[in-house]
Short mmCIF file of all heavy atoms in Angstrom, two decimals:
data_model
loop_
_atom_site.label_atom_id
_atom_site.label_comp_id
_atom_site.label_asym_id
_atom_site.label_seq_id
_atom_site.Cartn_x
_atom_site.Cartn_y
_atom_site.Cartn_z
N ALA B 19 55.92 -67.49 238.54
CA ALA B 19 57.14 -66.78 238.96
C ALA B 19 58.37 -67.65 238.73
O ALA B 19 59.38 -67.19 238.16
CB ALA B 19 57.03 -66.39 240.43
N ASP B 34 54.75 -57.40 237.94
CA ASP B 34 53.73 -57.26 236.90
C ASP B 34 53.80 -58.41 235.89
O ASP B 34 52.76 -58.88 235.42
CB ASP B 34 53.91 -55.92 236.16
CG ASP B 34 53.41 -54.74 236.97
OD1 ASP B 34 52.56 -54.96 237.86
OD2 ASP B 34 53.87 -53.61 236.73
N ASN B 98 60.49 -84.11 248.64
CA ASN B 98 60.18 -84.31 247.23
C ASN B 98 58.67 -84.25 247.00
O ASN B 98 58.18 -83.59 246.08
CB ASN B 98 60.73 -85.66 246.76
CG ASN B 98 60.71 -85.81 245.26
OD1 ASN B 98 60.55 -84.84 244.53
ND2 ASN B 98 60.86 -87.02 244.79
N ALA B 126 70.39 -63.38 250.04
CA ALA B 126 69.22 -63.68 250.85
C ALA B 126 69.26 -65.13 251.32
O ALA B 126 68.89 -65.45 252.46
CB ALA B 126 67.94 -63.42 250.05
N ARG B 172 77.14 -75.58 246.10
CA ARG B 172 77.99 -74.96 245.08
C ARG B 172 78.42 -75.98 244.02
O ARG B 172 78.38 -75.69 242.83
CB ARG B 172 79.23 -74.32 245.73
CG ARG B 172 78.96 -73.06 246.51
CD ARG B 172 80.21 -72.23 246.68
NE ARG B 172 81.29 -73.00 247.29
CZ ARG B 172 81.53 -73.06 248.60
NH1 ARG B 172 80.73 -72.41 249.44
NH2 ARG B 172 82.53 -73.77 249.07
N TRP B 174 76.97 -78.84 243.28
CA TRP B 174 75.80 -79.30 242.52
C TRP B 174 75.41 -78.28 241.45
O TRP B 174 75.16 -78.65 240.30
CB TRP B 174 74.62 -79.54 243.46
CG TRP B 174 73.34 -79.81 242.76
CD1 TRP B 174 72.88 -81.01 242.29
CD2 TRP B 174 72.33 -78.85 242.41
NE1 TRP B 174 71.67 -80.86 241.68
CE2 TRP B 174 71.31 -79.54 241.74
CE3 TRP B 174 72.21 -77.47 242.61
CZ2 TRP B 174 70.17 -78.89 241.26
CZ3 TRP B 174 71.08 -76.83 242.13
CH2 TRP B 174 70.07 -77.54 241.47
N ARG B 205 97.71 -87.32 254.79
CA ARG B 205 98.93 -87.48 254.01
C ARG B 205 99.15 -88.96 253.73
O ARG B 205 99.79 -89.68 254.48
CB ARG B 205 100.11 -86.88 254.75
CG ARG B 205 99.94 -85.39 254.99
CD ARG B 205 101.18 -84.75 255.58
NE ARG B 205 101.01 -83.33 255.74
CZ ARG B 205 101.97 -82.51 256.13
NH1 ARG B 205 103.17 -82.99 256.40
NH2 ARG B 205 101.75 -81.21 256.26
#
Side-chain angles (χ1 to χ4, degrees):
D34 283 338
N98 192 16
R172 288 201 305 269
W174 171 85
R205 298 187 178 186

